[in-house]
């Protein structure tokens, strides 16, 4: 029997503003779409947080036994500088500034994105479609919306008619905005504006002669609007109505609101059952963002080459840090927080190492079965990873008590503990067991092993002054040498 039959998952649906029991449209199957990156620059740690939140959600759904089709797109065209649909295409602009083909820009940053996600131990989505690979589908949707009367053509561009849509549907229901208020708070249209109303948004934009990313369409050469690609790719692979749509909180409006409007205008029904939004990673209390420069790149953290942190941190430690916050809470990155996460992570890994060696007895001094259910209860409550981690540390405490002879565990409970810990730590949270403190640790190991060799040579030559000096100075640096039967090993504190 799959786990989802006995574990009742609840998710916070941004559309209803409530936690709801998760019941997929087709029993046992989940369709999930997450807005992917715009590949015009390296992903910063903030972007990674959103994708990591959905990686964890993907992992837990799979753990519960659902067959999940996870679609996460690559935005390689149509995302203009200003989310309201004005300005230059972000990828075109980068290509122009760096004298590259737009597809060179796309390739470079897609590869970077995949590399970073691999370091963080992400599971790949089942489908990773690109916007440029779905231009035909986008044109078909525009035709359909025009046919239904919810869009108009102006000078070879096509705009979505928000006022018309709002007569029969409700524009603003996801973000909790009213169209009247939006109209009242926006500037008047000028004579140059092509839109009939400031809230209208582009489905298709005419390409000016200098615009390098362009495709033919029934309305002339142009390119699709950013919101449209997600409607085209999500419904193509997951159906007109699917289970989960995710993204960062900042995409709720206008991006997701426009996706709902497009899909409802086209198909007459709501595209998504559960809208899930991940909250922002902040740095110095402000949203991490490419545009403001208030950001840090994952590789800068792994290598320690940055002006914000005192040392390098391994990807698993950063992942653990992210998982210590609920995905709907704001999380602030700081040196202190990462140092504390590193300590916690190492304590957890140490307990996992101790576990196989624990002696078993005829009874247990702790209710491991109830503890296991508490871990599930945490995750079933809208993926509450901080509570799950608190429960994992309860297990760490028990392991240490048993090790010190202050507690006992039966064979069966030891097996249950091992299985449950492995499932939650590695499969669900996606952590990996590493003593690696950063990318430079391989180099560190090489250098210390070289010093160990020199020390061995000094000892063989009875040059104890040199051998002691090597050991003492390494100790000063926080590197402990341990002489054993197998030779000398080292540990760092
Ligand atoms: P973009 O590449 O700008 O389209 O963004 C990719 C994803 O990163 C979107 O889901 C954004 O919501 C998300 N995102 C951007 N900045 C942050 C941040 N500071 N914290 C968390 N997620 C973010
Ligand atoms: Zn999207």
């Amino acid at each position: 029997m799959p786990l989802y039959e006995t574990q009742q998952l609840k998710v916070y649906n941004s559309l209803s503003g409530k936690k709801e029991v998760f019941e997929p449209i087709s029993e046992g199957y989940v369709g999930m779409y997450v807005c992917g990156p715009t590949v015009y620059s390296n992903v910063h740690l903030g972007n990674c947080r959103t994708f990591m939140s959905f990686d964890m959600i993907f992992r837990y759904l799979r753990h519960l036994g659902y067959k999940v089709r996870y679609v996460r797109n690559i935005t390689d065209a149509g995302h203009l500088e200003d989310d309201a649909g004005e300005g230059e295409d972000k990828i075109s602009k980068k290509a122009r500034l760096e004298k590259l083909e737009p597809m060179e820009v796309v390739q470079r940053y897609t590869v970077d994105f995949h590399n970073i996600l691999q370091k963080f131990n992400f599971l790949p989505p089942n489908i990773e479609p690109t916007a440029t690979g779905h231009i035909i589908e986008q044109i078909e949707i525009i035709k359909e919306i025009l046919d239904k009367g919810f869009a108009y053509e102006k000078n070879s561009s096509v705009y979505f008619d928000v006022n018309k849509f709002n007569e029969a549907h409700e524009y603003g229901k996801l973000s909790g905005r009213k169209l009247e208020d939006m109209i009242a708070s926006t500037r008047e249209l000028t004579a140059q504006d092509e839109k009939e109303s400031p809230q209208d948004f582009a489905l298709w934009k005419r390409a000016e002669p200098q615009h390098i990313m362009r495709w033919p369409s029934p309305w002339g050469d142009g390119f699709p609007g950013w919101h449209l690609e997600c409607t085209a790719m999500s419904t193509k692979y997951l159906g007109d109505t699917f289970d989960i749509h995710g993204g960062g909180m900042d995409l709720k409006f206008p991006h997701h609101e426009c996706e709902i409007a497009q899909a409802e205008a086209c198909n007459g029904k709501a595209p998504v059952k559960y809208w899930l939004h991940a909250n922002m990673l902040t740095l110095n209390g402000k949203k991490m963002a490419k545009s403001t420069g208030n950001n840090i790149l994952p590789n800068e953290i792994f290598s320690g080459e940055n002006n914000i942190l005192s040392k390098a941190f391994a990807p698993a430690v950063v992942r653990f840090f992210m998982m210590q916050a609920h995905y709907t809470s704001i999380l602030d990155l700081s040196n202190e927080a990462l140092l504390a996460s590193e300590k916690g992570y190492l304590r957890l890994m140490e307990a996992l190492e101790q576990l196989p060696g624990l002696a078993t007895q005829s009874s247990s001094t702790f209710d491991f079965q109830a503890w296991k259910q508490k871990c599930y209860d945490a995750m079933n409550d809208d993926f509450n990873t901080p509570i799950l981690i608190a429960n994992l540390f309860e297990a760490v405490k028990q392991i240490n008590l048993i090790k010190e002879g202050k507690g006992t565990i039966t064979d069966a409970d030891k097996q249950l503990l091992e299985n449950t810990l492995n499932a939650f730590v590695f499969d669900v949270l996606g952590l990996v067991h590493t003593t690696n403190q950063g990318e430079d640790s391989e180099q560190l190991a090489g250098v210390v092993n070289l010093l160990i060799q020199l020390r061995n040579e000094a000892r063989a030559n009875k040059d104890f002054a040199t051998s002691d000096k090597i050991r003492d100075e390494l100790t000063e640096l926080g590197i402990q040498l341990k002489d054993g039967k197998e030779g000398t090993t080292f540990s760092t504190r």
Side-chain angles (χ1 to χ4, degrees), residues 33 35 230 255 259:
Y33 183 89
C35 295
C230 286
H255 187 54
E259 273 189 56

Side-chain angles (χ1 to χ4, degrees), residues 137-149:
E137 287 83 348
Q138 296 180 71
I139 290 174
E140 288 307 309
I141 292 177
I142 300 173
K143 283 192 206 159
E144 185 108 24
I145 298 176
L146 276 167
D147 278 353
K148 302 246 162 94

